[in-house]
Structures are given as C-alpha cells and as structure tokens.
Amino acid sequence: MRRPGCLGMVLALALLAALFGVASSWTGAGPAEKNLAVVVPSGASLSRAATELEKAGAIRSANRFLLFARVFGSDAPIRAGEYEVPAHASQSDVLELLQSGKVIQRRVTVPEGMPSVLVHEALMRAPYLTGSVAIPEEGSVLPDSYNYQRGDTRQQVLDQMQKAMRDYLAAAWKQRKPTAAVQTPREVLTLAAIVEKETGKAAERRMVAAVYSNRLKQGMPLQADPTVIYPVTKGRPLGRRILRSELSAKNGYNTYASPGLPVGPIANPGRESIDAVLNPAATSALYFVADGTGGHVFADTLEQHNANVRKWYAIRRARGEM
C-alpha cells in the first residue's frame, strides 16, 4: 500500500503541474500568425472584446480568455478603439494592450503649400474615416501630419487642422516685426501662400517675403506667377506655360493684372512661410528669378534683374528647355 504522504505529494505535484499549464496558457504564445487589427467598440465589455479577439484569431477561446483574465489579470478597464495585436501575443499581453489604450494611430499629411482641393481629396481617401466634408476655405488648414483613429469623422480631422492654423497664426501675429507689410492675419495667409508657392527652399523664404513686402510698400504689382495659375486650376498643377491671356485676366487673384495682394490665399501656407511674412529679411531687393540650382537670385534694380533673367534663359537653352 502507498503511504498517505506519498499520495498527497503526488496530488500536490499534479495540482502544481495543472496550475503551471494554466499559467503557461495565459502567458504563452498566442495563435496569431501575423499582426492583427482588432476593434473594440465604444462601450464594449470585456466579454464583447473577447468575442472580437476570438473572431480575429488573436485568442483561441473567448470563454477561456475571460476566465484567465479574472484569475490572473488586473481589474483595470479596457478602452475602446482599434488595436494592433502582435503576432503570437499571449493572452496576458492582449489584455494589457486593451487596458493600455494604445490604439492604432492613422495619419493624414498636409504638405506645405497644398491647396484646399487637394486637402479635401486627402481627407476623402483617408481609410476608416467616416462621413463627408466640404472643401475647406483656402489658407485655413495648417500643413502638418494629423493622427486619427478608425471611426473618427472627416469633419473632426478637418476641425483639428483648422484649429491648428488659427492657433499658430494668432501666436505668430503677436510676434510680427515692424518691417512686415501685412496689416491683418488674413493678409498674412494671403502673402505667405504666395511665398510658399514661389520657393521650396527654407533659407529663401524670408528673402522672397521681403521682395513682395518691398513691392507692396512701394505700390508695385507683385507679379507672382502662382497667382495667375490659381484661378485656372484652384491650386492643381497647370501642366503647361501660362497663356498671355491669363497674364492679363482680372479675376481678383492675378497680381500681374491688379496691384496689391490677391483677394485671398492661393494655398495653405506652412509655419515657416507665415513667419517669413511677419519677419521678412532686411533687403531692398525687388526682383528674383531662378538660378538653375533650385533656388533664386535676387536683385535691387530692374537692370540687375534683366541680367539675371538672361543668365537663366542661357541655362535653360543649354538644357534644351527653350
């Protein structure tokens, strides 16, 4: 006969083995062969979340997950949202993920100088946003990258973009220098959009802003090509040379045909262009033209400018562009 002590030891070892197996099942590798996206609906209970996890293949059994969560997990609440469950994540890791609130962050990016028609297109094609949205007012969106979650509305994201612009513009306006030619925040956006479209070099923005500021102060027409293009395409690429008829068209935007600023922005300017308009470079330059390297050369007089234009034409002829 076995002695009672031996039987008790066997039972204890069996119990320990069972507990070890349960614990291993809780902390061991899960069934997901790849990263999985799982949505926990707003207001969902842990039971509902477990059902969604089982459907997605992140756990093997919702009932077992609930039982283990009650025994081994913390009592912290889970949070709604879309989660990325890593491949082979344990049930313990899955519960911690849902309690952490570290949901998938998706992103819409608005580059500097993007016109509002293209902002609208970016919002409309952004995956998992809901609802529709109107084309935003030109110049009302601050270029940046904006995070969102599955199920957010397009209007919510647009509201975030426009609030960012209002906040930045208000702060920048307070820091404006006496040399700035603009009189209102609206004029800041209008001129900054021209600066944004005229140069892609950050180091040039204050010089370009200065040229246009000097022209405004002297009553000279701005003669900015992007203002000719905007009424034709609403900010999309023109894809051809500007027509002579377009240079003479009076439409409120064309700064060849009308003095002063356009009636409004021609794009959504970024922070650096806004800052440049409010603090232009100290220069008497009134002209600039491309220098063949992606930048521009600046001139104080028309004679200097014409010489620079001839150099630019020579570069273009050498490239076979003329």
Side-chain angles (χ1 to χ4, degrees):
M1 293 180 63
R2 289 180 178 175
R3 283 179 286 182
C6 291
L7 180 60
M9 184 176 295
V10 169
L11 291 174
L13 289 173
L15 179 59
L16 286 173
L19 290 174
F20 179 78
V22 170
S24 297
S25 177
W26 175 242
T27 59
E33 295 295 330
K34 60 182 181 180
N35 293 358
L36 300 172
V38 179
V39 177
V40 176
S42 178
S45 63
L46 183 60
S47 176
R48 170 69 186 278
T51 299
E52 298 301 323
L53 289 165
E54 182 180 339
K55 286 180 183 178
I59 59 175
R60 292 183 175 86
S61 166
N63 289 334
R64 192 180 307 158
F65 176 81
L66 288 170
L67 175 61
F68 289 171
R70 293 188 182 101
V71 175
F72 299 109
S74 77
D75 57 0
I78 62 170
R79 302 184 186 184
E82 182 185 15
Y83 293 88
E84 184 176 48
V85 179
H88 305 296
S90 69
Q91 295 182 89
S92 173
D93 290 339
V94 170
L95 179 61
E96 288 182 9
L97 178 63
L98 268 57
Q99 292 171 332
S100 73
K102 295 178 181 178
V103 297
I104 295 174
Q105 292 290 341
R106 303 183 183 277
R107 181 173 295 179
V108 177
T109 298
V110 177
E112 287 86 353
M114 177 179 271
S116 286
V117 289
L118 298 186
V119 174
H120 178 258
E121 289 183 4
L123 284 169
M124 293 306 297
R125 67 172 174 263
Y128 305 115
L129 283 176
T130 62
S132 187
V133 70
I135 296 175
E137 181 183 359
E138 200 70 77
S140 68
V141 167
L142 184 68
D144 207 336
S145 291
Y146 295 89
N147 293 330
Y148 68 90
Q149 298 179 30
R150 182 195 288 251
D152 286 350
T153 68
R154 290 180 170 85
Q155 188 62 55
Q156 286 175 321
V157 179
L158 177 57
D159 289 345
Q160 183 184 357
M161 294 173 172
Q162 293 179 319
K163 181 180 185 301
M165 177 58 93
R166 289 194 300 271
D167 291 348
Y168 189 82
L169 182 59
W173 178 252
K174 293 177 182 178
Q175 303 300 318
R176 66 190 183 279
K177 303 299 182 183
T179 52
V182 288
Q183 303 299 315
T184 66
R186 171 77 171 176
E187 289 186 356
V188 175
L189 294 177
T190 301
L191 185 54
I194 296 174
V195 172
E196 194 74 72
K197 301 301 285 187
E198 285 283 21
T199 181
K201 284 193 169 183
E204 287 191 346
R205 287 191 175 100
R206 293 185 64 225
M207 277 295 293
V208 172
V211 168
Y212 287 127
S213 296
N214 291 340
R215 283 178 164 253
L216 283 172
K217 291 174 182 178
Q218 295 187 27
M220 296 175 64
L222 298 186
Q223 295 184 327
D225 288 357
T227 66
V228 181
I229 297 170
Y230 182 78
V232 180
T233 68
K234 295 302 180 185
R236 300 179 191 275
L238 183 60
R240 57 168 173 78
R241 291 184 179 180
I242 296 172
L243 303 178
R244 189 173 298 276
S245 60
E246 291 164 347
L247 284 171
S248 60
K250 290 192 174 183
N251 47 43
Y253 286 96
N254 180 7
T255 55
Y256 279 85
S258 302
L261 289 168
V263 294
I266 59 171
N268 291 286
R271 295 173 177 85
E272 290 185 355
S273 292
I274 291 171
D275 293 346
V277 165
L278 291 167
N279 183 22
T283 179
S284 56
L286 293 169
Y287 308 90
F288 63 92
V289 68
D291 63 4
T293 68
H296 296 85
V297 60
F298 298 84
D300 293 356
T301 68
L302 182 58
E303 182 181 5
Q304 294 170 347
H305 177 62
N306 287 338
N308 292 332
V309 170
R310 287 192 292 270
K311 291 177 184 178
W312 169 230
Y313 285 172
I315 293 171
R316 293 188 63 190
R317 280 192 292 269
R319 293 175 177 174
E321 297 173 356
M322 291 183 68

